[in-house]
Amino acid sequence: MVYQNILLDTKDRISTLTINRPDKRNALNELTREEMVHALEDLQSSDDTRVVIMTGAGDKAFIAGADISEFEGRTPLTQRAAMKGLRIFTAIEEFPKPVIAMINGFCLGGGMEVALACDLRFASDNAKLGQPEINLGIIPGGGGTQRLTRLVGEGKSMELILTGDLIDASHAKQIGLVNEVFPAAELRDRVQAYAVRIAEKSPIALRMAKEAVKAAARTNLREGLDREADLFCLTFGSEDKAEGVRAFLEKRKPEFKGR
Ligand code: COA
């Protein structure tokens, strides 16, 4: 498949999906969102991919939000039609492998919502993050009001969404919005190294772990604990579990095969 607005590159079992519209600050138009969903569908079944990194082309933006030019003239009904089908935010969240947002610049609006749907967020020290939709007379529509609130709490989420103000990477780390901040020149290597470390784990355990953690925001405590117990027991059916336990007892490094 040849893509127009994204780049895909796989190295050491890490696939990097780059949104490639740097002259538009990697804003997400309809085609870009469709290509991202399509690429994730392919990577889902690929044995060469254990972790996905999402990033933006160039050194200015991760993603500067939805493509605002597509909003012009839209009615509630045409906007609703444009939001039908599998949305990129859900595709990331339901993706059975870890997805890392490598935030290399402006991370705004729909870009922040992509990052929020990812499992881990790493930012360059010059990144700026925010939900500026309020300045356009609209509100976040890609999960921002829900996922941001769950991640940083209602107070901080209200602050960002009601003011539309941008915050820098160190502030984002302080409120738990990003996991780590790296110097811009080191971002790519540091995130790749982090991803390689995760890619060495059992893909089956990673999948169950992601699903179990996601259950925390979707269910009440009782149901979440039941789900965790089921997923925990499911890992006991894998060869990886046998290998992990045996390797520990034999004092060697495990070699997980994803079976
Ligand atoms: N949608 C459509 N186009 C966008 C865009 C977006 N979200 N963000 C940036 N662009 C375009 C600009 O229109 C401009 O296009 P042009 O060269 O054809 O005029 C180009 O990208 C460069 O943007 P510019 O504003 O000149 O770059 P900058 O580095 O000075 O500022 C931003 C970068 C991200 C701060 C600024 O572009 C911005 O505020 N973008 C909108 C952010 C936003 O509101 N996102 C939420 C959308 S719901």
Side-chain angles (χ1 to χ4, degrees):
M1 174 91 189
V2 179
Y3 295 114
Q4 218 173 294
N5 292 346
I6 64 169
L7 303 169
L8 267 182
D9 171 57
T10 298
K11 190 176 134 206
D12 297 335
R13 297 188 294 189
I14 314 300
S15 293
T16 301
L17 191 165
T18 305
I19 291 93
N20 191 26
R21 299 183 77 210
D23 53 333
K24 294 287 172 196
R25 302 296 180 265
N26 303 318
L28 297 180
N29 61 2
E30 207 166 332
L31 177 63
T32 309
R33 291 196 305 271
E34 275 169 23
E35 289 186 348
M36 290 166 80
V37 170
H38 194 281
L40 284 183
E41 271 164 13
D42 276 355
L43 296 178
Q44 177 163 338
S45 50
S46 165
D47 285 342
D48 296 334
T49 301
R50 293 220 178 159
V51 176
V52 172
I53 296 173
M54 296 241 170
T55 194
D59 57 4
K60 294 215 165 73
F62 170 66
I63 302 169
D67 190 319
I68 300 170
S69 65
E70 291 186 340
F71 287 166
E72 202 174 20
R74 284 243 176 100
T75 65
L77 284 182
T78 53
Q79 180 55 31
R80 197 151 195 259
M83 288 164 68
K84 281 265 180 266
L86 179 59
R87 300 183 71 198
I88 181 59
F89 317 101
T90 310
I92 295 170
E93 195 166 75
E94 312 256 293
F95 193 71
K97 306 171 190 185
V99 185
I100 299 175
M102 181 161 76
I103 303 169
N104 56 315
F106 287 111
C107 174
L108 310 179
M112 175 92 121
E113 290 167 312
V114 164
L116 288 167
C118 291
D119 303 307
L120 294 160
R121 284 155 290 279
F122 297 112
S124 60
D125 54 5
N126 59 358
K128 293 258 191 301
L129 302 90
Q131 297 280 178
E133 290 88 342
I134 202 83
N135 298 324
L136 300 171
I138 58 174
I139 69 168
T145 64
Q146 304 304 301
R147 292 194 184 96
L148 181 61
T149 305
R150 280 169 165 80
L151 194 61
V152 304
E154 191 174 303
K156 278 287 163 196
S157 180
M158 279 291 186
E159 203 177 306
L160 287 167
I161 290 171
L162 298 187
T163 64
D165 287 349
L166 310 191
I167 57 172
D168 61 24
S170 67
H171 187 170
K173 171 149 193 243
Q174 213 184 325
I175 63 174
L177 176 51
V178 302
N179 296 80
E180 207 57 69
V181 179
F182 298 125
E186 293 173 24
L187 180 71
R188 191 163 288 273
D189 288 349
R190 299 285 289 268
V191 174
Q192 176 76 15
Y194 196 104
V196 165
R197 213 152 59 75
I198 296 180
E200 285 170 0
K201 319 283 182 203
S202 159
I204 297 172
L206 288 173
R207 181 179 187 154
M208 302 298 158
K210 175 167 175 172
E211 201 174 319
V213 174
K214 289 287 178 199
R218 293 178 183 163
T219 58
N220 62 38
L221 182 62
R222 184 70 262 155
E223 283 171 19
L225 291 172
D226 288 348
R227 188 89 196 103
E228 181 194 80
D230 286 344
L231 291 164
F232 172 72
C233 292
L234 262 185
T235 62
F236 279 59
S238 70
E239 284 178 30
D240 282 352
K241 171 258 175 185
E243 163 66 6
V245 171
R246 206 178 314 118
F248 176 82
L249 296 174
E250 291 171 3
K251 300 188 191 305
R252 61 175 172 82
K253 205 174 166 222
E255 213 177 291
F256 295 120
K257 301 242 165 56
R259 292 198 290 262

